[in-house]
Amino acid sequence: MTTHVLILCTHNSARSVLSEGMLNHLARQLGKDVRAHSAGSAPSGVVHPLSLQTLSNAGIATTGLASKGNEVHLALAPDYVISVCGRAAQQPCPAYFGSSTRLHWGLADPAAVRGSDAQVQAAFAATLAQIERRLQAFFALPFAQQNSAQLLAQLRAIGELP
């Protein structure tokens, strides 16, 4: 049975799209029956070009990635809903009303970085690397061997990984 993960952010153009691409990539690599989806509460309608470039540079497929609203996934009933809006920036995170396990794994917005092209590209690459570390930790959890309180604590702790 496929585990579905919905990744939410406000605009669904950078952090959530990077997360969706990386999660699906790692799931395929690791042979895990996990599928990522992403959405935004106020989608921009366009995936940030550096999100797609960063994923491509990492060898991750970008086909099908799009900026979309929460309503696209209303019938999904995901197992996990992860918001990735940055906590430090006090950005509002989209709400999800369902019985899914909800987690907050805040990430700084690489699209908000100002500077040279190299600095902005480095911010996207650093965000993708942070996402990969968190998702590697996610996939390493012994889901079947833990009670729900232990698992939830470990899932929440992943959101604190640098």
Side-chain angles (χ1 to χ4, degrees):
M1 184 170 186
T2 302
T3 298
H4 290 276
V5 179
L6 176 58
I7 303 162
L8 298 177
C9 199
T10 306
H11 299 297
N12 191 218
S13 68
R15 294 165 287 187
S16 53
V17 172
L18 290 168
S19 298
E20 177 185 4
M22 179 59 79
L23 192 150
N24 287 328
H25 175 76
L26 289 174
R28 278 190 300 278
Q29 268 191 339
L30 299 169
K32 302 287 186 177
D33 191 13
V34 179
R35 177 82 171 106
H37 314 270
S38 69
S41 57
S44 66
V46 178
V47 174
H48 194 292
L50 284 178
S51 296
L52 299 175
Q53 180 182 332
T54 302
L55 289 166
S56 290
N57 290 348
I60 298 171
T62 60
T63 304
L65 295 176
S67 176
K68 54 215 164 291
N70 297 344
E71 68 281 352
V72 172
H73 302 297
L74 288 177
L76 180 61
D79 300 281
Y80 300 96
V81 175
I82 303 171
S83 59
V84 293
C85 299
R87 188 178 317 152
Q90 299 302 311
Q91 297 166 320
C93 287
Y96 179 81
F97 303 102
S99 61
S100 307
T101 298
R102 295 178 206 146
L103 305 164
H104 179 71
W105 293 356
L107 297 163
D109 186 359
V113 171
R114 300 293 173 248
S116 68
D117 287 348
Q119 289 170 316
V120 176
Q121 289 170 354
F124 274 83
T127 300
L128 186 62
Q130 183 177 23
I131 291 165
E132 182 176 17
R133 283 189 299 276
R134 290 178 178 186
L135 291 174
Q136 290 283 6
F138 174 83
F139 283 119
L141 291 175
F143 286 90
Q145 300 173 11
Q146 296 183 342
N147 70 41
S148 60
Q150 289 173 322
L151 182 60
L152 185 58
Q154 289 182 318
L155 286 165
R156 285 185 175 146
I158 290 171
E160 302 302 319
L161 293 176

